Amino acid sequence: LGGVGFEEMPQLYQSVDAVLMPTVREGDSLVILEAMSCGLPVVATDCSSLSERIEHGKGGFLCDIGDVNHFASSIDALRDVGVRKEMGRFNRDRALREFSVELMAMRYAELFADICA
C-alpha cells in the first residue's frame, strides 16, 4: 500500500473484514483501538495488554502465542457476516465508550490535578 495518510485510515480499515494481530510482544496497540473504533472484529494473540482491549468472544478472539489452529478457527468463525458485524458493533461501542480522545484527555487532566494537589 505504501504510505497511508491519517485521514485515509478509517476508509482503509473499513475496506477489510477483520484485523489480525498475531504478535508475540505488544504494548498498548493503537492498531487494535483504531480497528475497534472502525467497527471491526479482532483476532489477536493473548499477550501483553491485548486482553485488556479485546473481549474474547464478544469483540473478537484471543489466541495463545503460536496456536496456529486457534487463529485459523477464529478467522474461520469470522466468515459469518453476522458474527463479524456483531463483534464489530461491540468493538465500536466499546471504543467510543472507553477509549475516546475526550475521555483520555479528561483522565489525564484528573491525574495531573491529583498529582499537583
Side-chain angles (χ1 to χ4, degrees):
L1 293 174
V4 177
F6 180 74
E7 62 283 344
E8 299 168 35
M9 292 302 292
Q11 182 180 359
L12 179 61
Y13 276 109
Q14 292 168 349
S15 73
V16 301
D17 293 325
V19 168
L20 311 177
M21 180 68 84
T23 186
V24 296
R25 203 171 290 123
E26 190 71 30
D28 193 3
S29 176
L30 184 57
V31 170
I32 298 302
L33 293 174
E34 289 172 343
M36 290 173 65
S37 70
C38 288
L40 292 171
V42 178
V43 178
T45 308
D46 189 2
C47 69
S48 302
S49 67
L50 298 181
S51 63
E52 296 172 19
R53 302 294 175 245
I54 303 161
E55 287 197 39
H56 182 76
K58 291 184 178 182
F61 300 101
L62 293 166
C63 307
D64 289 335
I65 293 173
D67 190 344
V68 176
N69 290 330
H70 192 197
F71 263 94
S73 65
S74 297
I75 294 166
D76 192 50
L78 294 177
R79 291 174 63 171
D80 182 319
V81 175
V83 170
R84 283 198 316 269
K85 288 189 180 297
E86 184 177 329
M87 287 184 166
R89 274 191 299 274
F90 178 86
N91 280 341
R92 171 88 175 143
D93 291 345
R94 184 163 183 238
L96 293 174
R97 186 177 64 251
E98 297 180 30
F99 307 118
S100 70
V101 171
E102 295 81 11
L103 182 58
M104 180 181 64
M106 182 183 72
R107 288 180 178 160
Y108 272 120
E110 290 170 355
L111 175 64
F112 296 151
D114 287 346
I115 291 170
C116 292

